Amino acid sequence: MKSKVILIFLILFFAFAQYWGLVRAPADRMMGDVYRILFVHVPAAWNALLLLTVSFVGCLLYLLRRKEFWDRLAHSSMEIGLVLTGLVLPLGSLWAKPTWGVWWTWDPRLTTTMILFILYAGVLILRQLIDDPVRRAKISSAVGLLIYLNVPIVYLSVRWWRSLHQLQSSPSTMDPQMVLALRLNAFALLGLAVFFLVQRMRLLKREALIEEKESLPPPLPRGAQS
Amino acid sequence: MTLFFQQTVAILSKDFLMEYRDRSRLLSTLLFGLLLLLLFSFALSVDPALMRKMAPGLFWLTLFFASTLSLEHSFQKEREEGRWEGLLILGIDPRALFLGKLLGNLLFISLLQLFLLPLMAVLYDIQLSWTLGTVLVLGSLGLSTLGTFYSALTASLREGQFLLPLLLYPMLVPLLLASVKVTELVLARDLFGQQVAWLKLLIVFDIIFLLGSLLTAEFLIDR
Amino acid sequence: MNNIIEMVEIGRRFDRSWVLAHMNLTIKKGESVALFGANGSGKSTLLKILATLLSPTTGRFQIFGKNPEKEKSFIRRHLRLLGHDKQLYGSLTPLENLRLAARIRGLDYNDKIFESLLGQLQILPFKDQPIGELSEGTKKKLVLAKLLLGDPELILMDEPYPALDKSGREILGHLIHEWRHEGKTLIIASHDHEETIKHVDRVLTLQGGMISS
Ligand SMILES: Nc1ncnc2c1ncn2[C@@H]1O[C@H](COP(=O)(O)OP(=O)(O)OP(=O)(O)O)[C@@H](O)[C@H]1O
Ligand SMILES: [Mg+2]
């Protein structure tokens, strides 16, 4: 009940932020209305990176503390981060086509995002293959750690390998209305992401509880001496 | 500490002996490498100038693809007959096992390189040099580190062998880019001194992943 | 510190089914114990848990007074397991297999010692033949020779008898006799009740995931 209220509020906030981006913010001098897709694209990218960072923290803390909570955090944030990463790519393409005239360029951000997507999808597939929950948590945390360390290296290497001119999407160069819209949308999406994160973690916890309940050790038979 | 190295060497020399007794794996890997070089040149071009230009990329791709088979095998062979558990119960340090396997894979990949290089030189008409050697060592160290890590990982799953390329290759992207770039620069007699930055990246890559995988190897290898 | 093994309420589950449950077990130093039970009753599972190769789902236990979560390597250094799997390398010879095991164990033995071990098990003539070419019984004897490396305090044997011929059983009987004489603790899981009973102080039977004695 409470979570439904929160969800409705978050959706309304998101709609409001979108309204601000689509209507209130002025059209761009160069790009016209096309640029408005950035109000979803950029927040999605920011939040994806944020969630993957959270999952890195989850992996690290799991290996240090061995508490299931951290594994659930790592798992959930990885899933949501992956969905957002998956959104970033096509949204970016939609923007790139009218702006740069191509769907795809070997821009370091694009390329890194693509590789990131494959890497994290790999971990989630890996999780499916391990039955024992403790081993699953250990192994996927180890991999999650290594993958995250790789992110800056991938970025750097692709940037040196071939860099197109960088498009700055930081708010400093934009109209104040645009900045506001971008910030609103970033927070709206963040709210939704956190909401889903919490829900996903709860779900995982319940699944684990059910699993445990269904397979409680059989009760001691009457009079058994062990 | 000495026990650690004794264990590492024991694993390394055991694997060496096993591969030496059953040379078919090495031989078929070498031939597979040769075949890949030929296939690439068939598929891409017959223009010698173009081939020379693409040689570094093709060399590293060939190395990646050809070494995958033996990387996968490196931990897979410990799964038979409870050998893995046998090593654990003897009290092996998981990191020593990891390091031993890593060195074995490095040796294997170096042999593969030694075989492929002269072939490249002949088939693609490129010049060999000593600076190239450094790049090759750094590149193959990174490849064997991550390769060993994911080999241990996929071999510890009940059915995970098919995952090895999926998990390994995207991790290797920076290594591939850096190795190919430096190789290109070395072959082109690097006029602007760009190769230093790339070499540094290669070294950073090697160090980070060597440390990262040594620190986490225990979670993959021990029960 | 008289108890080498203390298990309290140990349970182990695979997927949804419990193989062991409410297992309480104490074994004293120097005891020799037989572990009987039908196929699938969990004998091997119990031995693997003791050897720190499997972790129990519930309960806690100590070996040599140590917590297996924390002092795995100490425990492993002081016990030996003969498992269902032979843990041998087919393309290496018996001598090389022993050498590998000794080096990983950190033992500084020379070939003389290995040869005398092989002699003790009467498989010296095969010492330079790749294992893949040897008979099952010969391999089993080599596995027994591996148990003799170092000086384990606790020896776990999971079905040591299959594949052994009459002389092999005699040799094993002799080994067990010596181990007991030296005050080592033995656990033997077997379906060969008659043979096993000759060598043990007490019998534990696994049934429904629990010990009934
Ligand atoms: N790795 C595993 N995954 C799933 N189930 C397992 C695993 N290992 C053992 N089991 C199950 O645990 C049960 C007990 O197996 P265990 O090998 O301990 O029996 P056992 O008493 O040694 O039998 P046997 O006399 O045949 O050797 C079996 O039902 C088996 O299916
Ligand atoms: Mg059994």
Side-chain angles (χ1 to χ4, degrees):
Chain A
M1 191 55 218
K2 209 168 88 193
S3 57
K4 260 187 204 145
V5 175
I6 296 177
L7 181 61
I8 290 173
F9 169 76
L10 285 171
I11 290 176
L12 287 177
F13 181 43
F14 184 71
F16 170 71
Q18 282 295 307
Y19 162 78
W20 206 278
L22 291 175
V23 181
R24 297 293 294 271
D28 188 81
R29 258 176 296 128
M30 315 279 288
M31 292 182 271
D33 284 329
V34 166
Y35 89 99
R36 291 180 198 276
I37 199 161
L38 292 186
F39 292 136
V40 267
H41 172 73
V42 175
W46 285 348
N47 281 301
L49 208 56
L50 182 69
L51 278 156
L52 295 180
T53 308
V54 170
S55 90
F56 169 75
V57 173
C59 289
L60 192 65
L61 286 176
Y62 179 80
L63 289 182
L64 295 177
R65 302 269 163 81
R66 298 298 172 80
K67 290 274 180 290
E68 279 161 46
F69 171 83
W70 297 116
D71 182 51
R72 285 199 289 271
L73 179 69
H75 183 187
S76 318
S77 48
M78 225 179 255
E79 278 180 354
I80 297 166
L82 188 69
V83 170
L84 287 174
T85 314
L87 269 177
V88 169
L89 286 170
L91 288 176
S93 273
L94 282 180
W95 176 84
K97 182 66 182 168
T99 318
W100 292 342
V102 285
W103 294 109
W104 178 263
T105 74
W106 293 101
D107 170 82
R109 288 188 201 188
L110 283 180
T111 315
T112 310
T113 311
M114 175 81 107
I115 292 167
L116 217 64
F117 183 82
I118 300 172
L119 282 170
Y120 280 98
V123 186
L124 291 177
I125 294 177
L126 173 69
R127 289 191 73 99
Q128 303 287 312
L129 291 177
I130 313 174
D131 299 328
D132 182 18
V134 179
R135 263 185 82 65
R136 180 171 52 215
K138 274 196 216 167
I139 291 184
S140 46
S141 299
V143 179
L145 223 61
L146 225 53
I147 285 179
Y148 191 81
L149 291 180
N150 206 10
V151 174
I153 303 183
V154 173
Y155 180 77
L156 206 63
S157 62
V158 180
R159 207 176 85 179
W160 288 354
W161 172 62
R162 171 185 285 178
S163 66
L164 258 167
H165 80 281
Q166 291 284 298
L167 183 102
Q168 273 300 335
S169 45
S170 82
S172 57
T173 58
M174 299 161 81
D175 184 287
Q177 283 297 317
M178 293 183 187
V179 177
L180 183 59
L182 198 57
R183 290 210 175 124
L184 280 175
N185 276 295
F187 280 110
L189 203 59
L190 177 65
L192 282 171
V194 170
F195 177 81
F196 282 119
L197 182 68
V198 171
Q199 294 300 317
R200 182 70 182 118
M201 285 178 69
R202 274 196 197 159
L203 196 62
L204 284 174
K205 185 167 184 180
R206 284 189 196 167
E207 276 172 10
L209 278 180
I210 290 175
E211 162 107 345
E212 223 166 76
K213 275 235 176 71
E214 273 186 1
S215 53
L216 275 181
L220 265 180
R222 197 171 281 278
Q225 177 59 52
S226 61
Chain B
M1 210 52 193
T2 50
L3 179 60
F4 181 88
F5 288 115
Q6 189 178 345
Q7 290 176 337
T8 308
V9 174
I11 292 295
L12 177 62
S13 53
K14 177 217 72 164
D15 276 347
F16 183 82
L17 206 58
M18 281 174 81
E19 293 305 323
Y20 177 74
R21 297 250 160 96
D22 181 10
R23 275 159 298 221
S24 56
R25 181 166 303 277
L26 180 62
L27 282 176
S28 54
T29 306
L30 295 183
L31 287 179
F32 182 48
L34 170 62
L35 189 63
L36 280 173
L37 285 184
L38 285 177
L39 289 180
F40 278 140
S41 66
F42 289 155
L44 293 173
S45 162
V46 282
D47 175 13
L50 198 57
M51 288 315 286
R52 215 172 302 138
K53 203 153 164 262
M54 290 193 299
L58 296 181
F59 174 78
W60 283 100
L61 274 186
T62 304
L63 198 68
F64 278 23
F65 290 146
S67 57
T68 310
L69 294 177
S70 74
L71 284 174
E72 187 199 313
H73 183 65
S74 115
F75 268 94
Q76 198 64 34
K77 66 185 165 207
E78 303 295 339
R79 285 201 55 175
E80 293 155 28
E81 295 211 5
R83 293 166 188 169
W84 197 317
E85 295 185 340
L87 292 174
L88 290 176
I89 198 85
L90 282 167
I92 197 165
D93 185 331
R95 281 163 297 164
L97 176 54
F98 182 83
L99 200 59
K101 290 283 179 193
L102 192 162
L103 292 175
N105 287 330
L106 186 60
L107 193 64
F108 195 95
I109 291 173
S110 306
L111 280 177
L112 186 59
Q113 282 180 335
L114 281 183
F115 174 76
L116 288 179
L117 262 185
L119 284 174
M120 284 296 281
V122 173
L123 291 176
Y124 291 53
D125 185 28
I126 56 166
Q127 293 264 308
L128 303 182
S129 72
W130 282 114
T131 17
L132 196 56
T134 327
V135 186
L136 296 183
V137 171
L138 288 176
S140 44
L141 178 61
L143 174 60
S144 22
T145 306
L146 282 180
T148 311
F149 181 86
Y150 282 105
S151 168
L153 170 65
T154 53
S156 73
L157 307 180
R158 218 172 314 146
E159 346 195 6
Q161 296 90 290
F162 70 91
L163 266 185
L164 183 66
L166 175 65
L167 296 176
L168 177 60
Y169 289 160
M171 285 298 274
L172 289 176
V173 166
L175 182 79
L176 179 69
L177 292 183
S179 307
V180 170
K181 267 293 177 197
V182 194
T183 313
E184 264 174 18
L185 292 171
V186 170
L187 290 182
R189 310 230 169 282
D190 183 29
L191 299 177
F192 308 105
Q194 286 178 61
Q195 64 188 25
V196 179
W198 286 105
L199 274 174
K200 277 187 194 152
L201 186 74
L202 261 182
I203 292 171
V204 167
F205 184 94
D206 283 354
I207 291 177
I208 287 187
F209 287 106
L210 195 57
L211 289 181
S213 50
L214 271 176
L215 285 177
T216 50
E218 186 192 338
F219 304 117
L220 307 181
I221 289 174
D222 210 335
R223 299 293 125 121
Chain C
M1 242 323 294
N2 246 343
N3 292 337
I4 261 200
I5 296 170
E6 283 178 28
M7 287 188 137
V8 182
E9 284 293 303
I10 288 289
R12 168 74 207 198
R13 121 178 108 93
F14 290 109
D15 293 328
R16 294 272 158 106
S17 68
W18 287 81
V19 177
L20 300 175
H22 306 295
M23 169 85 70
N24 293 297
L25 175 64
T26 318
I27 291 180
K28 290 198 193 62
K29 187 170 166 47
E31 255 190 319
S32 169
V33 177
L35 194 59
F36 293 158
N39 290 138
S41 57
K43 300 182 296 298
S44 304
T45 306
L46 177 59
L47 291 183
K48 278 191 182 170
I49 289 178
L50 285 173
T52 71
L53 290 175
L54 268 182
S55 41
T57 320
T58 62
R60 61 204 150 79
F61 72 114
Q62 289 197 329
I63 305 180
F64 311 123
K66 309 265 181 205
N67 179 349
E69 287 292 311
K70 304 217 173 84
E71 304 195 58
K72 218 179 236 174
S73 63
F74 178 91
I75 294 173
R76 284 177 181 171
R77 222 169 330 151
H78 290 87
L79 64 71
R80 228 14 103 62
L81 168 73
L82 178 156
H84 278 288
D85 299 314
K86 292 192 197 56
Q87 308 172 345
L88 297 173
Y89 292 89
S91 54
L92 305 185
T93 68
L95 211 53
E96 288 159 350
N97 268 290
L98 282 182
R99 212 180 277 147
L100 174 70
R103 282 164 78 188
I104 287 182
R105 209 1 130 37
L107 299 168
D108 200 11
Y109 286 2
N110 59 22
D111 283 2
K112 282 259 163 48
I113 301 181
F114 297 133
E115 281 173 13
S116 85
L117 286 181
L118 292 176
Q120 217 175 327
L121 273 303
Q122 297 177 359
I123 47 172
L124 190 56
F126 308 106
K127 72 179 165 97
D128 289 324
Q129 231 168 313
I131 299 225
E133 299 170 5
L134 299 179
S135 74
E136 279 304 301
T138 316
K139 284 188 234 171
K140 194 86 181 201
K141 286 179 186 165
L142 179 58
V143 176
L144 287 174
K146 264 174 79 178
L147 289 183
L148 293 172
L149 290 173
D151 193 25
E153 280 187 45
L154 171 63
I155 299 165
L156 310 170
M157 284 182 276
D158 200 353
E159 319 243 8
Y161 294 113
L164 284 184
D165 60 8
K166 194 150 170 296
S167 78
R169 283 167 184 241
E170 275 166 16
I171 297 171
L172 179 55
H174 187 67
L175 285 179
I176 293 178
H177 183 78
E178 268 184 19
W179 283 328
R180 296 186 65 190
H181 188 70
E182 291 165 13
K184 300 195 187 310
T185 315
L186 307 178
I187 304 181
I188 309 171
S190 176
H191 294 293
D192 193 337
H193 295 198
E194 284 161 43
E195 183 70 34
T196 313
I197 274 180
K198 289 189 217 158
H199 306 292
V200 296
D201 305 317
R202 80 184 152 119
V203 171
L204 302 172
T205 307
L206 268 179
Q207 208 176 18
M210 283 178 289
I211 301 266
S212 48
S213 40

